[in-house]
Amino acid sequence: MSTALGHGGGNGTGDGAPATLRDVARLANVHPSTVSRVLNGATSSRITPDTCARVQAIAEELGYRPNMIAQGLRTRRSRSVGVIVTDLSNPVTAPIVSGIEGRLGERGYTVLLGNADHSAEREALHIETMRAKHVDGLISGSATVDGDGSVRGLHRLGLPVVLVNRGGEDDRVPAAVPDDLLCSELAVGHLTELGHTRIAHIAGAAATTTGRRRRAGFEAAIVRRGLRLDPSLMVVSERYTVAEGARCAAELLSRGRTRFTAIVAANDLLALGCYDALAAAGLSCPDSISVVGCNDMTFADRFTPALTTIHIPHVELGRAAADLLLERLEQPELAPRNISIVPRLVVRASTAALTSG
Amino acid sequence: MSTALGHGGGNGTGDGAPATLRDVARLANVHPSTVSRVLNGATSSRITPDTCARVQAIAEELGYRPNMIAQGLRTRRSRSVGVIVTDLSNPVTAPIVSGIEGRLGERGYTVLLGNADHSAEREALHIETMRAKHVDGLISGSATVDGDGSVRGLHRLGLPVVLVNRGGEDDRVPAAVPDDLLCSELAVGHLTELGHTRIAHIAGAAATTTGRRRRAGFEAAIVRRGLRLDPSLMVVSERYTVAEGARCAAELLSRGRTRFTAIVAANDLLALGCYDALAAAGLSCPDSISVVGCNDMTFADRFTPALTTIHIPHVELGRAAADLLLERLEQPELAPRNISIVPRLVVRASTAALTSG
DNA sequence: TTGAAAGCGCTAACAC
DNA sequence: GTGTTAGCGCTTTCAA
């Protein structure tokens, strides 16, 4: 009786090499293809229950494991998918990957992980490798908007590709993304309900759809409420980092610290940077300035003040991306579609009602 | 001229299929094996510079990419390694994986990621799959001490395995781990320098080497200083979570809240739980009770109070594990070895000098 | 220096 | 229902 680890293995010749289909066939007195048919659920129905049982017994006894490399070469399906991320150290990346891996794993696919680490060169290298390893598809979390990213190229080459978290500017390649417009709407809505009217925005990099769409959503939300869209209350960050958030908040402050009473940051890291800049300027959050983040990343509830933010279910985002890819792999005839994940406002302690003007 | 994406590809027959070695051979008027020799650095020296150039030109023109699946089947080396983690959502996991992936990527290996998500069954499944996909080796971050984990079994089967973060109890399988004894020594040393003498410990699960060794290190550090080892000041947690930390700290408090003035927690998550339990009991940290964590995970500096903890360089830990595996893959004759990573005390605001007894 | 031949382990089209 | 044959794309003896 073989364990899950293939103990009791061997090919029956005593040389310790793992058993192959041929080994099983030889001991079961059948042809290798018969073994193949028995072991592949789809075709096993056409085999005599008798031989079927015999083959299975021998396979079990030998601890036979199909060689997926050989299978892949023959069938042209590797049952593995590449997952390329911009930055493994970004707090939202792990949950997204977790969601992807979980769903894909359920369906028998393995994840090849590539960390681009903000380098276009490394990203291209990973794509290269994954193509060479014949992944069945690719999920990319590093889409940038600059026209014609490498991932986009793959899509044209016919390799199924799905974007996650950040989408493409258009809808040519399927993507699972948060409803970025709604994120900003929720943030602005919350602040106006608290009485704020002069609200600043620290936008995400223009090269990312999260950055662009959240900015668009912010502007729409402001206009929709009949508030003035003040260009001096807008600053565009270059990267999603705490340091960059601090830089942008300081910039905002330098343009006049009484011009605004609240900041909508394009993500939590930027919001954390706001905390720093405000503290450095001797201002308190939320008493002087309210701050809203976006993502609700791990520990957002444990900062001081606890961060009011827009919750995005990143694990679910990852699962959705996996579903999209699975769909393309298993029903290529279906029209590609997008999934938009609904965010949710989480009120904590970094926002307060406007008291003094 | 072909781009990194293989544009300009095709096999020269116009059917859009990717070019193979044979396609290149045909157009270059040489035998496929010659092309193989040209393209493999090691053997290309034995080829006429002339044909060498011709072959390379054709390969380039066709956008030829070796099929690594076929290569793998033939050479029995997949150039991919499995990385199995206990929990992708643990804050230390991402940096470890990042370190592993970074180093392995430099050396031409791809990472297959498997998230066991605390399930032994899922872990076994991943190991199964990775064996079937013929990974060249395995790095496991989910070693438990219960004798004969599945990973250990693989090691016996001859698949190169390296443990990371948590080691095996003995040294039979190579591991890259923090110096857990030193972690506790640093924590206790820091507290005694602040005047603390009655120090409690929230130990990590006994099934993990981090839990066991940090506990042993704690006990040794206490004894070394001639302090009393009070069993009522020791509680063993079951999982590395905030909730579990809170439970353990509450348990400690229930045994008498004046019996100790400081807590050494086996990791930062447990330490965060201490914050909660102390707050719930109306106690302040660090004024009433000092708390020391371990790991220095992301944002440890941003909690309130900022957490005094033992810094472990997790990216480096991952790199070390990758190095260990690379060593086994490329120089199997070398004796397996372990790498111990040196931790560092980071003093922040959760510890204070003992003033009132 | 190059070509020929064989085969890694598997599946699938075709025969019987 | 099962066997035969061929071949996925590559590397690697062995010859020449």
Side-chain angles (χ1 to χ4, degrees), chain A residues 65 79 133 276 302 304, chain B residues 79 128 133 276 302 304:
Chain A
R65 319 265 140 215
R79 297 218 148 263
K133 299 217 165 165
D276 294 347
R302 311 215 55 130
T304 305
Chain B
R79 297 218 148 261
E128 249 327 69
K133 299 217 165 165
D276 294 347
R302 312 216 55 130
T304 305

Side-chain angles (χ1 to χ4, degrees), chain B residues 130-192:
Chain B
M130 287 176 179
R131 243 160 71 78
K133 299 217 165 165
H134 283 236
V135 293
D136 294 336
L138 212 53
I139 298 181
S140 169
S142 44
T144 50
V145 179
D146 55 355
D148 213 79
S150 359
V151 171
R152 183 76 55 79
L154 285 181
H155 186 236
R156 247 192 277 99
L157 279 177
L159 182 68
V161 173
V162 167
L163 269 22
V164 66
N165 197 29
R166 303 181 187 171
E169 197 61 352
D170 49 55
D171 286 357
R172 278 180 298 186
V173 18
V177 292
D179 184 338
D180 291 311
L181 263 33
L182 183 51
C183 287
S184 299
E185 166 60 27
L186 290 172
V188 171
H190 169 59
L191 290 169
T192 54

Side-chain angles (χ1 to χ4, degrees), chain A residues 231-279:
Chain A
S232 77
L233 262 33
M234 170 74 63
V235 45
V236 180
S237 66
E238 285 174 6
R239 314 180 53 204
Y240 284 118
T241 63
V242 175
E244 182 66 359
R247 185 188 68 74
C248 293
E251 165 71 23
L252 239 24
L253 254 15
S254 78
R255 316 220 276 226
R257 56 179 61 187
T258 59
R259 302 175 62 91
F260 58 96
T261 60
I263 304 175
V264 171
N267 89 350
D268 292 345
L269 261 10
L270 295 172
L272 224 39
C274 292
Y275 283 11
D276 294 347
L278 291 176

Side-chain angles (χ1 to χ4, degrees), chain B residues 114-127:
Chain B
N115 184 16
D117 204 12
H118 294 290
S119 149
E121 188 192 344
R122 255 189 299 265
E123 178 180 349
L125 215 64
H126 277 128
I127 292 179

Side-chain angles (χ1 to χ4, degrees), chain B residues 259-320:
Chain B
R259 299 175 64 90
F260 58 95
T261 61
I263 304 175
V264 171
N267 89 350
D268 292 344
L269 260 13
L270 295 172
L272 224 39
C274 292
Y275 283 10
D276 294 347
L278 292 175
L283 261 22
S284 115
C285 170
D287 299 331
S288 310
I289 307 266
S290 288
V291 173
V292 182
C294 187
N295 270 342
D296 193 20
M297 65 184 189
T298 329
F299 301 130
D301 57 331
R302 312 216 55 130
F303 302 132
T304 305
L307 184 63
T308 293
T309 187
I310 310 301
H311 178 83
I312 295 174
H314 290 102
V315 175
E316 193 185 320
L317 200 57
R319 267 194 240 113

Side-chain angles (χ1 to χ4, degrees), chain A residues 4-5 65 68-69 73 78-79 101 110-113 126 128-129 132-133 157 276 297 299 302 304, chain B residues 4-5 65 68-69 73 78-79 101 110-113 115 126 128-129 132-133 157 276 297 299 302 304:
Chain A
L5 280 176
R65 319 265 140 215
M68 296 185 75
I69 298 279
L73 179 61
S78 63
R79 297 218 148 263
E101 197 274 347
T110 306
V111 165
L112 307 204
L113 181 69
H126 277 128
E128 240 341 59
T129 308
K133 299 217 165 165
L157 279 177
D276 294 347
M297 65 184 188
F299 301 131
R302 311 215 55 130
T304 305
Chain B
L5 281 174
R65 320 264 142 217
M68 295 185 77
I69 298 279
L73 180 60
S78 62
R79 297 218 148 261
E101 199 274 344
T110 305
V111 165
L112 307 204
L113 181 68
N115 184 16
H126 277 128
E128 249 327 69
T129 309
K133 299 217 165 165
L157 279 177
D276 294 347
M297 65 184 189
F299 301 130
R302 312 216 55 130
T304 305

Side-chain angles (χ1 to χ4, degrees), chain A residues 183-205:
Chain A
C183 287
S184 299
E185 165 61 26
L186 289 171
V188 171
H190 169 60
L191 290 169
T192 55
E193 272 178 26
L194 289 173
H196 296 271
T197 55
R198 287 167 296 137
I199 304 172
H201 182 50
I202 298 181

